[in-house]
Amino acid sequence: MSLILNGDEVEAGGSVLDAVLAAGIELPHLCKDDNLPAIGACRTCLVEADGRIVAACSFPASMAKRVDTETKTARRIRRGVLELTLAMQAERGDEGGPLAGETASTASREGAAVDRFAVRTGRAVDATSPFFSFHEAACILCGRCVVACQDLQHISAIGLAGRGRDTRVTPGAADTFRESICTSCGSCVAACPTSALRPRGGAE
Amino acid sequence: MTRQVPSTCPYCGVGCGIVISVAGERIVWVDDQPGNLSSEGMLCVKGRFGTTFVNHRDRLATPLIRRGGELQPASWDEALDLVAMRFAEHRGRFGSFASAKATNEDAFIQQKFVRLVMGTNNIDHCTRLCHSPSVEAMLQQFGSGATSNSYSDYEASSCIMLVGCDPGSNHPVIASRMRRAIDTRGTRLIVVNPRRIDMCDRATIFLQSRPGTDVSLFNGMARAILDAGLANTGFIAARTEGYEAWLAAVREVTVEQCAEVCGVAAEDLRMAALLYANPPQLDAREPGSCLVWGMGVTQHTNGTDNAHALLNLALFTGQLGRPGSGVSPLRGQNNVQGCGDAGCIPDSLPGYQRYDEAVPAPFEELWGGGLPRVPGLKATDMVEQIAGGTIRAMYIVGENPLLSEPNLHHATELIRSLDFLVVQDLFLHETAQLADVVLPACSFAEKDGTFTNSERRVQRVRRAIAPVGESRPDWEIVCDIARRMCAHSGLDTRQFSYSGPAEIFAEMARLTPFLRGMSYERLDREGGLQWPCPEPGHPGTSYLYGESFPRGLGKFVPVRQAAAAEELPDTEYPLILNTGRMLYHWHGGTITRRVEALMERAGALPVAIHPDDAAAAGIVENDTVVLFSRRGRVSGAAVLTDSVRAGSVFIPFVRLGESAANFLTNSAYDAQSRIPEYKVCAVRIEKKRERKDAAGAPGIGRERA
Amino acid sequence: MSQVAGLPLRFRFLPLLHEAHTRDGWLSREAVETIARQVRIPLAEAWEAATSFPEFRFAAGGGDGGGCGGLSCVVNGAPPSESVHARCRFRCFEAPVSGGEDDFPEEMIRLAGRLLAPDITGWDGLRAASSMGSARALDMIDRAGIRGRGGAYFPAARKWRAALGQGRPLALVINAEEGEPGVFKDRAVLCRRPRRFVEGLAIAVSVLRPAVTVIFINGEAAPARRSVETVIAGAGEVFPGGVEVVPGGGGYVLGEETTLLNALEGRKPAPRLRPPYPVESGLFGMPTVVNNVETIANLSILFREGEAPFLDPDPAAAGGSKLFSVSGRVARPGLYEMPLGTPLRVLLAAAGEKDGAAFAAVLAGGPSGGFLPASEFHRRLVPGLLHPTGAVTGSGGMVVLDTTSDLRAAVLETARFNARESCGKCTPCREGLPRVVESLAEGHTEGLDDLLEVVGAASLCGLGQMAPGPIRSARHFWPELFS
């Protein structure tokens, strides 16, 4: 299978995102872990495929003839989504969250403004596990931790409880990770793109 | 700058791929390895968060020599000279434990040293204490002692029967792969365990059998299969022998009688048997059943019988030798498979090559010396025979028998009475504290090598940080001792001069037919390879016995239920003690007690007791309780749970504070394999009486209080 | 607990939750965990699913106050939804309303065509379909051009053929969730013409031969559920494989069919990625046909009366009639069965002005549609967009505003509804819609068009994609409204 990607013909088998990344083109994909199935939640990998805006992570390359990552529309919409995402960080200067690390550099590359929207997010901290802690103020609800816990490890200690803006990452129905069925495998920590779940301590 | 080093997890036998992030010669993060075929991007808490022991302040930094009763720092030369001299004096009264935590290369060099230089086959490792009955039984019935299948077979199977194991705690990533099969494909799960383990949440059938009654359980299942006409007659006729004799033993019992002995419902026993023999068609794949077991089968005085009973069932139903089926003893340590493969067992050379006439020749030729023909002592016998003087010097590498042996007070007395003890390890553990010389060894993170996991996959271990202190890789230390002794033994010192682990592996592969196709170059390029891999172009083998068994035909071995255990409850000691492991600690805890986060999570010894028994003893949740057996006492924190049968208590054998399960356990042994009966002994429980200075046992009750 | 043949135990999750909720009035953690264990759903999965249904409560006491915050009630004097707990109570024909659901009143069937004619007896349509066999029956559905009445108007025969073409056992799922404020047609059919629907279902079963047949019904629509269950129970051998009637826990987003399938599987009700499409891999991986109640009921007409009633000379109007739910500021609110393609003004004329106030606007297609001013009432109610800014025929919900209505409040109410009903899975919908509400409420509309474009283009499912319609249309026709 081949498709025209940003004007060049490329061979592609999996998703459009696979093709884009294989071609060395930078494209945000906050909720797509390299090793986990697509979630399609963060909507930052939007591209134009045959005139439609699609999420590259879940759009099969075989269904596209022509894909452009840098059209004006695609860039504008990606930027808008990133701006909504950036407003999910409560603590400026935190080591995690969308304002730090990879997400921040992605956002700045895409020209997203950090202050278009007023900040909104919870501020709960769960430090009951000696292995990792959870900082809601850095969470963008991308769902990678949930996929790691439910679909990779099949533990199912983490879920996205509630809906709409009330959605929260929670250790199931438990109040804390310590009280939950969590086995502390840390796959969620590895999957988290914003260090909302982050390892504690380290070597003594 | 952070650098990433791909390697293999040092904990259980699953053999997960890890990527170690290193900054400033310290491990800062351990990530999973999605491309690893055994772990597929998964890890558990110990692999991910449990490697800080590597830089723990307790790490031995220099050799220690006992002077005036005290262990004192010494130079390597001093220590090695002393060891070489004293070992030479003890030829003929010498025994050695190898480490199932060290690499294949370490193990190979150690057995080479023991056989070639010390002239004895007295070498063994911890498999004696875990799966020796499985290995004995499999060798007898199939001609090979290894897991017959792969983790991928669990996911391809229609039915998994877990017997006497708790993969959720001890092989977490295997548990995840099983849960994946159950959740996404609808694979059925049968759990046989006296304790309700986590996996029971997903079980179709849970048989909470009485400890020590496995022979009855599996003979009963065989009878149920026979009665239902589900025997795999084609397989039996074409691939097995000894069927009639075995059948006679099975015909002696009925399903109902067996269920009665095991304390399970006959209907459940029958359903489990039929499900295993006739698993459902889930998709296009041919339905198969996997039989997976742990120490609940083996650590009994009838351990080998139990294993035979299990394997008979697999032969009877033909549930092995094709994808989605097979038999798997789950291995507890990262390299327990490899340590045996490398020859650290008293009756075989590397590759399980027994001392038949032709076998030693290539070894003697390549090594330039003669090998002893008399089989050596098994680990448990080495310790027992200290008393009689057969063993007077020991070289214990990466093992802590004074936590892992049964009846620890007794074992301690024996070890203490040795003339010369050398312990080579990371920490000054219970056994090391009694040593004459202690040699500091490198951890997995400081050396190159290979581990072989539970599915026979040989995988690379890579040096991520510089050796801590003056520690050195085990193989280097052994080579240094050996070279010092070569001259007196008429050996060429070049036999113990290697450029590195790659060269050792090449020698091992050359001498071991099933590894012959492997090399570091291939392992680095292709990732882990599963033996048998007899030639360089061979892709490795995911399951065994497709066409035939190494011994030709599979052999039925008739077994009959013997006494459930050596020591059973009485009025004085009314409860059955069951021992095992827990997620947050590994084995005796020598390593995991040096991971602060693990200790924070699990710092107290949990004593699982049925609410009825607790009520009778006036015990409530979190009470500090004391368990007594005829041999010792331990204390811990009561956990009231109906996951244990009434009349039973369960504790993990990790040492926390002053408490370790093996102060209680019985040194009764299985006759064939010489495994101790860790799984059953009689105990009494009491609530600990209040004392003013409750701090008596550090660590106990701290977390839960 | 009985297990539905061939389906995992977790299929029982939602019904058991609904049962516990009905019994206790709320769901405790323990109740959810007990049910989760019973049906073998890992705890976190169970918790995230349970907490995502708006009709489930997780604290004892209180109740929902009885009021209704639906748009029809708001324009008829009810306080805006922010001040009441309840979303729409789907009795918009008697707005403003309070309290739970009753049997749909016969008198609210204002104009009956073939579908709403007095209920049928016997199984003539089923017999006709059975005697011609699956292939010919499918051809007949194809020729009649029956399209989905849930609002997407996808040709039914094409959907069925795609599912049958998978060559695997398939599932037939009837969506009777009806979570759109201002729409009450499925409830009316199920309460008042259940035999018509059940015969249609029997025909679908005879053609598709599904391994499992499910009716997913709004959890609060107890009268409708009882009515259809009674008829099915009396149908005997018509449904050899049985029919599972599953009550839900509410949620507008369940109109999105993959969300509905997740709900049925005991998972969090959030949309799945496509592909795969439900006809390829739907309920528990089976090829799955999801149809609306009204679509299915039309099959009974087709196989009793032939294709004629569905053949319209105008190809833009898919054949047959449509049930229009008319509410808001009209003299005769209720259900009107009219041919597809009927001009909006004809429908409005039938409903009549209330208290002599002139019609000012119609919200066509509900929160996923758009507003139309009086100048657009000449438009014909055909499948698809009625106006590029958002108005659609949709599932036939027409909420009418007159000169007494506060249009601004109505737009804001619709925006709030969408923000509240967002499942929360994707960022633009979850984060963007509340920003839209803030922007409208505060009158700061700078950047609003850009934000609406982002939400519409970037959202994962139809809820977010179509949420901008009411706002965009209102701003188009009444540019002064938010300035």
Side-chain angles (χ1 to χ4, degrees):
Chain A
M1 280 296 191
S2 71
L3 63 88
I4 308 292
L5 175 57
N6 289 357
D8 298 327
E9 186 165 343
V10 297
E11 290 298 310
S15 69
V16 168
L17 181 64
D18 293 337
V20 167
L21 297 179
I25 299 167
E26 290 194 276
L27 184 68
H29 50 282
L30 300 182
C31 74
K32 178 66 183 80
D33 191 296
D34 301 347
N35 316 314
L36 298 174
I39 301 172
C42 79
R43 316 306 287 176
T44 57
C45 67
L46 300 174
V47 297
E48 215 167 304
D50 303 317
R52 289 166 60 200
I53 295 292
V54 302
C57 66
S58 54
F59 201 79
S62 60
M63 285 172 66
K65 290 190 186 69
R66 187 190 167 83
V67 170
D68 289 287
T69 62
E70 303 302 320
T71 65
K72 272 193 175 152
T73 315
R75 284 189 61 89
R76 188 168 66 241
I77 291 169
R78 283 206 301 269
R79 188 167 62 234
V81 175
L82 281 165
E83 284 166 344
L84 287 165
T85 309
L86 293 176
M88 295 184 71
Q89 173 145 11
E91 315 284 347
R92 307 278 146 162
D94 186 274
E95 65 180 88
L99 292 177
E102 193 188 336
T103 322
S105 54
T106 297
S108 108
R109 194 176 65 239
E110 295 282 328
V114 295
D115 54 356
R116 175 167 172 200
F117 300 104
V119 169
R120 81 100 204 158
T121 176
R123 288 163 190 266
V125 174
D126 182 343
T128 57
S129 162
F131 307 104
F132 61 87
S133 53
F134 173 65
H135 303 256
E136 192 179 18
C139 175
I140 59 169
L141 296 171
C142 69
R144 272 163 69 163
C145 55
V146 176
V147 171
C149 189
Q150 296 189 1
D151 301 335
L152 178 68
Q153 294 272 2
H154 286 267
I155 306 282
S156 227
I158 305 182
L160 285 164
R163 59 181 203 142
R165 236 194 199 189
D166 296 329
T167 307
R168 297 278 179 276
V169 167
T170 72
D175 287 324
T176 64
F177 279 100
R178 183 68 170 78
E179 293 163 22
S180 76
I181 59 167
C182 171
T183 62
S184 318
C185 73
S187 285
C188 58
V189 181
C192 181
T194 59
S195 294
L197 286 153
R198 61 187 71 153
R200 297 185 67 184
E204 50 193 291
Chain B
M1 272 307 289
T2 307
R3 64 177 191 278
Q4 269 79 36
V5 183
S7 192
T8 302
C9 179
Y11 281 103
C12 76
V14 178
C16 297
I18 58 174
V19 180
I20 305 172
S21 287
V22 179
E25 295 306 321
R26 293 180 85 87
I27 298 174
V28 293
W29 173 243
V30 174
D31 214 343
D32 46 77
Q33 227 185 60
N36 183 286
L37 291 170
S38 291
S39 55
E40 297 190 337
M42 289 175 263
L43 282 182
C44 82
V45 60
K46 294 187 285 284
R48 177 97 60 189
F49 297 110
T51 56
T52 54
F53 72 88
V54 165
N55 291 109
H56 193 274
R57 59 180 176 277
D58 287 356
R59 272 292 295 275
L60 289 164
T62 67
L64 304 173
I65 293 176
R66 189 169 298 279
R67 294 185 174 110
E70 295 290 318
L71 282 169
Q72 292 178 354
S75 74
W76 270 108
D77 276 339
E78 235 182 321
L80 294 172
D81 287 346
L82 177 63
V83 169
M85 184 182 81
R86 299 295 306 272
F87 276 177
E89 291 166 12
H90 283 89
R91 276 209 184 88
R93 290 170 294 169
F94 173 87
S96 185
F97 287 180
S99 175
K101 296 184 260 307
T103 62
N104 285 319
E105 294 74 7
D106 293 329
F108 181 81
I109 290 301
Q110 192 178 343
Q111 63 84 32
K112 182 177 177 181
F113 164 74
V114 171
R115 295 196 158 104
L116 190 61
V117 180
M118 296 304 294
T120 174
N121 282 311
N122 289 343
I123 182 160
D124 206 355
H125 68 288
C126 65
T127 199
R128 191 62 47 206
L129 309 179
C130 57
H131 268 303
S132 54
S134 311
V135 173
E136 290 289 333
M138 286 191 289
L139 281 172
Q140 222 177 314
Q141 296 188 254
F142 306 149
S144 163
T147 290
S148 83
N149 55 1
S150 298
Y151 310 151
S152 58
D153 288 309
Y154 308 149
E155 295 194 53
S157 74
S158 292
C159 171
I160 299 169
M161 180 150 72
L162 292 180
V163 186
C165 60
D166 180 7
S169 295
N170 307 324
H171 303 89
V173 168
I174 283 180
S176 282
R177 294 189 66 161
M178 290 176 174
R179 282 192 298 263
R180 177 158 70 187
I182 294 162
D183 291 354
T184 64
R185 277 190 71 230
T187 295
R188 311 293 202 270
L189 179 69
I190 302 167
V191 174
V192 181
N193 205 309
R195 203 159 57 93
R196 187 187 166 83
I197 57 171
D198 290 350
M199 290 296 283
C200 289
D201 286 350
R202 283 175 168 82
T204 304
I205 302 168
F206 170 39
L207 298 172
Q208 194 166 20
S209 55
R210 281 193 194 104
T213 61
D214 293 333
V215 168
S216 284
L217 196 91
F218 298 110
N219 280 352
M221 279 196 194
R223 181 64 201 256
I225 293 165
L226 181 71
D227 292 348
L230 288 173
N232 190 334
T233 48
F235 186 90
I236 294 166
R239 299 285 308 273
T240 69
E241 61 183 347
Y243 176 59
E244 291 302 327
W246 171 75
L247 197 59
V250 169
R251 284 217 165 99
E252 290 167 14
V253 293
T254 66
V255 176
E256 278 67 23
Q257 286 164 354
C258 292
E260 172 80 30
V261 171
C262 303
V264 301
E267 206 35 51
D268 289 349
L269 184 62
R270 196 171 274 122
M271 268 174 57
L274 304 193
L275 187 54
Y276 175 77
N278 188 28
Q281 181 98 40
L282 299 177
D283 47 33
R285 283 177 270 205
E286 189 188 349
S289 290
C290 287
L291 186 48
V292 180
W293 71 97
M295 260 124 271
V297 169
T298 57
Q299 289 175 340
H300 293 278
T301 44
N302 46 19
T304 306
D305 284 355
N306 292 342
H308 282 310
L310 269 180
L311 300 175
N312 288 333
L313 202 62
L315 290 174
F316 188 41
T317 54
Q319 292 295 357
L320 72 178
R322 58 196 159 80
S325 71
V327 295
S328 324
L330 291 179
R331 311 311 304 255
Q333 302 207 2
N334 54 327
N335 198 40
V336 70
Q337 180 67 53
C339 197
D341 297 348
C344 293
I345 35 182
D347 53 8
S348 321
L349 287 161
Y352 306 97
Q353 301 177 79
R354 302 246 173 179
Y355 281 97
D356 298 332
E357 279 186 16
V359 168
F363 288 87
E364 290 174 334
E365 191 176 326
L366 191 67
W367 290 351
L371 296 180
R373 294 295 198 278
V374 186
L377 294 172
K378 293 166 181 164
T380 39
D381 291 332
M382 277 190 241
V383 175
E384 293 289 349
Q385 296 199 19
I386 293 171
T390 311
I391 298 290
R392 296 308 304 161
M394 285 193 77
Y395 183 22
I396 298 179
V397 178
E399 281 291 330
N400 183 11
L402 294 187
L403 262 193
S404 52
E405 288 286 313
N407 192 359
L408 282 177
H409 291 303
H410 170 65
T412 305
E413 286 318 305
L414 292 170
I415 296 278
R416 200 189 290 278
S417 70
L418 282 168
D419 292 337
F420 188 61
L421 173 63
V422 178
V423 173
Q424 180 169 309
D425 215 316
L426 274 56
F427 300 106
L428 195 65
H429 51 60
E430 289 81 352
T431 314
Q433 284 166 22
L434 301 183
D436 297 288
V437 179
V438 179
L439 302 174
C442 285
S443 77
F444 82 104
E446 298 144 52
K447 62 185 176 188
D448 282 289
T450 55
F451 292 157
T452 305
N453 72 4
S454 204
E455 60 175 355
R456 294 169 279 105
R457 192 183 301 280
V458 181
Q459 307 190 98
R460 282 282 276 118
V461 176
R462 292 183 183 84
R463 175 171 152 152
I465 61 172
V468 169
E470 294 177 25
S471 67
R472 304 175 64 199
D474 290 299
W475 67 266
E476 268 189 42
I477 303 171
V478 179
C479 281
D480 263 7
I481 296 169
R483 281 199 308 273
R484 282 169 162 79
M485 298 174 71
C486 277
H488 305 286
S489 321
L491 294 164
D492 187 335
T493 54
R494 281 177 302 185
Q495 283 301 338
F496 291 93
S497 303
Y498 294 93
S499 59
E503 192 184 351
I504 303 171
F505 187 84
E507 181 177 320
M508 181 165 111
R510 176 148 38 130
L511 291 167
T512 309
F514 62 67
L515 295 176
R516 205 157 281 158
M518 296 189 196
S519 63
Y520 272 32
E521 193 256 324
R522 270 194 84 182
L523 295 171
D524 286 338
R525 191 178 65 234
E526 301 173 38
L529 289 167
Q530 288 175 284
W531 66 252
C533 177
E535 56 214 67
H538 194 283
T541 307
S542 71
Y543 65 90
L544 308 175
Y545 317 145
E547 304 297 323
S548 65
F549 294 97
R551 70 181 296 281
L553 293 174
K555 184 181 177 188
F556 282 95
V557 175
V559 280
R560 293 170 175 83
Q561 178 72 50
E566 171 92 3
E567 182 183 76
L568 286 167
D570 52 27
T571 49
E572 197 181 352
Y573 297 97
L575 298 171
I576 288 184
L577 174 71
N578 178 13
T579 69
R581 286 171 283 177
M582 62 191 285
L583 174 64
Y584 291 102
H585 282 290
W586 196 59
H587 296 259
T590 302
I591 289 174
T592 48
R593 266 181 283 120
R594 286 161 174 110
V595 178
E596 286 189 344
L598 291 170
M599 285 302 282
E600 188 181 332
R601 183 65 179 74
L605 188 76
V607 179
I609 179 170
H610 192 276
D612 293 351
D613 297 323
I619 291 164
V620 299
E621 183 82 10
N622 282 340
D623 271 354
T624 302
V625 294
V626 188
L627 285 171
F628 299 86
S629 80
R630 288 183 175 80
R631 295 155 293 276
R633 52 181 280 179
V634 305
S635 62
V639 178
L640 275 55
T641 169
D642 59 7
S643 69
V644 294
R645 292 175 65 107
S648 301
V649 289
F650 174 86
I651 57 175
F653 74 87
V654 58
R655 176 176 189 147
L656 291 168
E658 296 306 309
S659 291
N662 287 329
F663 285 115
L664 305 177
T665 51
N666 192 2
S667 50
Y669 299 100
D670 175 53
Q672 292 178 67
S673 66
R674 306 298 291 158
I675 197 168
E677 186 150 73
Y678 289 117
K679 288 292 176 183
V680 186
C681 73
V683 294
R684 177 174 86 236
I685 192 165
E686 283 177 14
K687 184 173 169 171
K688 187 167 184 159
R689 277 187 288 278
E690 293 296 327
R691 276 199 329 206
K692 273 273 187 277
D693 55 336
I700 300 300
R702 186 182 58 191
E703 166 129 330
R704 291 175 181 276
Chain C
M1 184 188 48
S2 67
Q3 183 173 356
V4 179
L7 293 187
L9 271 177
R10 57 187 304 153
F11 181 71
R12 281 273 159 249
F13 183 62
L14 193 50
L16 287 170
L17 277 187
H18 183 267
E19 189 183 307
H21 194 267
T22 306
R23 184 187 64 228
D24 303 337
W26 66 295
L27 293 171
S28 64
R29 286 179 183 189
E30 293 70 31
V32 175
E33 288 185 4
T34 305
I35 294 169
R37 283 205 190 84
Q38 226 177 322
V39 299
R40 307 273 177 99
I41 299 186
L43 293 183
E45 265 180 69
W47 186 248
E48 67 172 9
T51 56
S52 300
F53 290 99
E55 284 163 13
F56 291 154
R57 298 164 46 74
F58 293 87
D64 63 10
C68 176
L71 181 57
S72 306
C73 288
V74 170
V75 299
N76 278 300
S81 67
E82 288 214 312
S83 53
V84 297
H85 171 81
R87 57 293 121 192
C88 189
R89 291 181 182 282
F90 306 104
R91 282 155 56 210
C92 320
F93 44 81
E94 50 190 11
V97 302
S98 66
E101 293 202 10
D102 282 326
D103 215 354
F104 187 86
E106 181 70 33
E107 63 272 22
M108 285 298 155
I109 298 180
R110 300 285 187 175
L111 182 64
R114 285 184 167 85
L115 185 49
L116 293 178
D119 210 0
I120 56 169
T121 55
W123 302 96
D124 294 350
L126 173 62
R127 261 195 295 279
S130 305
S131 65
M132 69 176 72
S134 286
R136 282 181 55 211
L138 259 172
D139 287 343
M140 180 144 166
I141 297 168
D142 211 355
R143 279 198 307 277
I146 291 189
R147 301 218 227 167
R149 261 42 174 193
Y153 296 93
F154 192 85
R158 242 167 82 192
K159 188 185 274 191
W160 288 20
R161 287 206 164 105
L164 288 166
Q166 301 290 314
R168 293 187 287 135
L170 57 83
L172 171 62
V173 175
I174 308 305
N175 189 349
E177 163 58 28
E178 202 167 50
E180 178 182 322
V183 178
F184 37 79
K185 64 181 180 79
D186 293 341
R187 286 170 169 81
V189 169
L190 295 177
C191 286
R192 291 289 160 191
R193 305 292 182 265
R195 288 169 196 286
R196 180 63 91 177
F197 164 74
V198 172
E199 183 177 64
L201 183 62
I203 292 166
V205 166
S206 78
V207 175
L208 290 168
R209 306 229 168 265
V212 55
T213 306
V214 181
I215 303 173
F216 185 94
I217 198 159
N218 188 289
E220 297 195 349
R225 191 170 78 243
R226 279 195 295 272
S227 169
V228 76
E229 279 175 342
T230 306
V231 175
I232 288 171
E237 72 286 6
V238 168
F239 297 105
V243 177
E244 296 298 319
V245 181
V246 175
Y252 180 47
V253 70
L254 293 170
E256 199 285 323
E257 57 188 13
T258 63
T259 307
L260 180 84
L261 296 175
N262 273 348
L264 283 172
E265 292 185 8
R267 299 178 200 283
K268 187 176 174 74
R272 301 178 182 174
L273 297 176
R274 307 173 190 222
Y277 294 88
V279 289
E280 299 156 353
S281 176
L283 186 69
F284 296 112
M286 290 185 279
T288 300
V289 168
V290 182
N291 278 142
N292 178 260
V293 168
E294 187 185 346
T295 316
I296 292 293
N298 268 295
L299 297 175
S300 166
I301 299 173
L302 174 64
F303 286 92
R304 279 174 182 250
E305 303 181 35
E307 293 144 46
F310 298 90
L311 298 179
D312 191 299
D314 178 358
S321 70
K322 178 79 192 88
L323 304 183
F324 294 101
S325 308
V326 183
S327 66
R329 299 290 297 171
V330 292
R332 290 175 298 280
L335 206 52
Y336 293 80
E337 181 179 358
M338 289 186 171
L340 269 167
T342 301
L344 176 56
R345 62 180 163 72
V346 174
L347 178 62
L348 293 179
E353 292 174 354
K354 187 175 187 180
D355 306 333
F359 295 142
V362 168
L363 175 60
S368 299
F371 287 95
L372 290 173
S375 59
E376 300 286 332
F377 290 174
H378 62 280
R379 290 188 181 269
R380 299 177 58 202
L381 296 167
V382 292
L385 276 174
L386 302 178
H387 190 275
T389 55
V392 291
T393 300
S395 57
M398 301 291 150
V399 182
V400 183
L401 281 67
D402 65 16
T403 51
T404 70
S405 310
D406 182 345
L407 181 59
R408 193 172 182 280
V411 175
L412 194 52
E413 181 52 43
T414 310
R416 282 203 182 106
F417 178 85
N418 278 323
R420 209 165 47 225
E421 292 296 321
S422 166
C423 78
K425 176 171 178 175
C426 77
T427 304
C429 179
R430 181 191 65 238
E431 301 298 321
L433 289 176
R435 308 284 183 185
V436 169
V437 173
E438 284 161 25
S439 171
L440 291 174
E442 292 162 12
H444 297 140
T445 52
E446 198 190 332
L448 178 61
D449 288 329
D450 178 68
L451 181 55
L452 290 175
E453 186 197 19
V454 168
V455 172
S459 289
L460 171 56
C461 83
L463 191 148
Q465 287 163 7
M466 296 168 83
I471 302 149
R472 198 181 279 139
S473 57
R475 278 162 57 78
H476 173 79
F477 292 116
W478 298 275
E480 71 293 346
L481 207 55
F482 291 96
S483 59

